[in-house]
Amino acid sequence: MSEKDFLPLSPREIRSRGWDFYDFLLVTGDAYVDHPSFGHALIGRHLESLGYRVALLAQPDWHGPGDFLAYGRPRLAVLVSAGNLDSMLNRYTAAKKRRSRDAYSPGGRGDLRPDRATFAYCQRARQAWPDVPLVIGGIEASLRRFAHYDYWSDSVRRSILVDSGADLLVYGMGELAMGEIARLLAMGVPVDAVADVDGTCRLVSSTDGLWDYVESPSFEAVSESREAFAEAFRIQYEQQDPLRGKTVVQRHGARWLVQHRPARPLTTAELDALYELPYVGTWHPRYDEAGGVPAIEEVRFSLVTHRGCYGGCAFCALTSHQGRIIQSRSEASLLEEARRMTKRPDFKGYIHDVGGPTANFFAPACSGQAERGACKGKDCIGWKACNRLVVDHGPFLALLRRLRELPRVKKVFVRSGIRFDYLMADGDGTFLEELCRHHISGQLKVAPEHVSPRVLKTMNKPPRAVFDAFRRAYGAVNEALGKKQYLVPYFLSSHPGSTLEDAVELAEYLRDIDFTPEQVQDFIPTPGSLATAMYYSGLDPMTMRAVHVPRDSREKALQRALLQYRNPKNYDLVREALERTGRKDLIGFGPLCLIRPRPGEVLAGAERGGRRKRRPSSSRGAGPGRKR
């Protein structure tokens, strides 16, 4: 393949096409990978399909406007995205330490994008062309569209639309909104007159002329009051629906941020057409010498089946970005993409993943969503499933079976996340049996996240009993199949609502199922999620009840250490946690103890064996071949 198969990525490539103008300069914080899992490729190819000329500027030098000026002035607009991840999350860990590697950069280099990339790129675009319309989008802009808490500066920041100086903000997946903006700009409509486009935000000096809107507490109010911050989040969260959602306004000083309601879901035909655009499927040749772009490896031979997620996990911002209404591709489109995939010379017979944000959420939660949207104030699934939830793995199973039958396909994996509570709600065990028989390679990763009822309710995750039932069912199916396949559960440390006592309870559970997590993920407060609003405000925005928040670095370290209490490096931290919580009975030599005493230490009688009863053996295992 040659450079001409890609969107132009340099002034030279623009000239080589004989263009005397181009319409959009698409600036991204990621290296250019022409694959639909990368936002810049989706938007760029979509605009190209609508007849516009699009040039990409990937990972420009943000210290000056030179890289921008070299392209020449775009006819219609500059489009800016920080990339597939929020730039601060991409560059920093939960401990606020710099990451050394960036999977979205050539060779994994970690120094090719700035902090707050959207803001940095907008500054340089304005320097280059002060009067060219400037539109921001992507995950960073989408989830920072309102006044928001920023973990890395530990402060409430203004809307990114205000700080960046952009003219418009596109939130969500963006194709419909960007297509309408392009149409209006091409007609000669001034950018400050582009209004009422679903899926966009803009700034106005007055709310006169707006109708049917709700007002969120202002930036100034949420900066001063944690209660106001929680209330603002609730108002914004409740309106994130394309059918019943209203316009939301939030005052920032003398101006108002106006968020128009979310763009409507794409139809199956529209989603099919989007994924059938002429993507090359790999990185631009510019990156060959660096060894390519690591992020492509996870998705190169994967199929995206749908968008949206109605799981409602508190720590996830998908509700604020993709929404709760599932938008699925057709089986025919997915099979055709798979056939094209199998013809590639580097295809080895393995489709690495089939799914979306949650693999087995392949259809809307219920038929009513098409008419009235997702219910306000109600969850489809979570701590408790809605009685209208439609549980049907049939269409997803049919797709997997067809994929397995394709020539040259040896194995089809499902790795993008299985909701075990949805699976257990299915009275037919066919999906679990076929999943274990055909679509797992030695282990299945699932995310119970915690076991404490208090924490699980705060997370909006199902009760422990549901996970235990799934573990038993998974073990039984694998035993019947004669397979030794591990179950690898993910647990999250220091989530809002989790006390040190809850962390001890989780450690005891890990002891009982004989499992030690190889890695522990600390909760990172990222903009746009319910849990982040809890972290900052100390309140559950939906009920305004107080929530314990582990903010202190020492408490976070103790909670994290408890999840890996077997690691000798964690001994002192685990001991401190047990002493703080009055659980010295878990220090000793008995089968229920988490750690042993120090050499020569004399224990009281109650500290020799633990005081909690061991769970029945039928609930202890993590399935055949338990993983420690």
Side-chain angles (χ1 to χ4, degrees), residues 518-553:
E518 293 181 359
Q519 293 179 324
V520 173
Q521 176 63 60
D522 270 357
F523 169 71
I524 303 178
T526 53
S529 75
L530 174 60
T532 297
M534 294 180 190
Y535 179 91
Y536 174 70
S537 68
L539 301 167
D540 180 340
M542 309 323 244
T543 64
M544 298 303 284
R545 293 174 183 160
V547 174
H548 172 75
V549 178
R551 291 193 187 92
D552 177 72
S553 60

Side-chain angles (χ1 to χ4, degrees), residues 380-500:
C380 303
I381 198 169
W383 177 252
K384 184 179 180 182
C386 176
N387 56 14
R388 294 186 178 180
L389 176 68
V390 176
V391 181
D392 182 10
H393 286 93
F396 189 44
L397 261 177
L399 170 64
L400 293 174
R401 289 166 179 166
R402 294 288 302 278
L403 289 170
R404 296 199 305 261
E405 295 169 355
L406 292 178
R408 297 196 67 202
V409 171
K410 299 176 183 177
K411 187 89 171 180
V412 179
F413 296 108
V414 177
R415 289 175 172 156
S416 56
I418 292 290
R419 279 295 292 243
F420 60 83
D421 49 345
Y422 183 79
L423 189 153
M424 293 306 294
D426 190 345
D428 184 345
T430 305
F431 177 72
L432 180 58
E433 192 273 339
E434 292 198 22
L435 180 72
C436 294
R437 182 186 293 273
H438 298 292
H439 303 292
I440 297 173
S441 179
Q443 63 181 29
L444 176 66
K445 297 176 181 179
V446 292
E449 307 293 1
H450 216 282
V451 297
S452 162
R454 172 169 49 197
V455 182
L456 289 170
K457 285 182 180 179
T458 305
M459 291 177 163
N460 197 29
K461 296 289 287 186
R464 176 197 307 190
V466 179
F467 178 61
D468 281 337
F470 173 72
R471 286 195 304 109
R472 291 191 293 270
Y474 179 81
V477 167
N478 277 287
E479 184 175 2
L481 293 173
K483 290 178 175 284
K484 288 188 176 182
Q485 300 193 119
Y486 301 116
L487 188 63
V488 182
Y490 284 147
F491 296 99
L492 191 58
S493 172
S494 301
H495 188 277
S498 176
T499 64
L500 207 50

Side-chain angles (χ1 to χ4, degrees), residues 23 31 114 159 237 312 323 333 388 427 469 502 572 592 599:
D23 296 304
S159 164
Y237 187 87
S333 174
R388 294 186 178 180
D502 294 317
D572 290 340
L592 300 184

Side-chain angles (χ1 to χ4, degrees), residues 575 584 587-589 596-598 601-608:
R575 179 159 187 137
K584 291 180 70 176
I587 304 171
F589 297 98
R596 294 189 173 189
R598 294 188 175 97
E601 183 178 2
V602 178
L603 299 177
E607 296 165 355
R608 292 177 180 166

Side-chain angles (χ1 to χ4, degrees), residues 118-120 122-123 126 134 136 158-169:
T118 301
F119 173 72
C122 284
Q123 280 188 312
R126 282 294 191 216
L134 183 55
I136 58 175
R158 299 183 299 182
S159 164
I160 196 171
L161 184 57
V162 175
D163 281 346
S164 68
D167 297 298
L168 290 169
L169 183 155

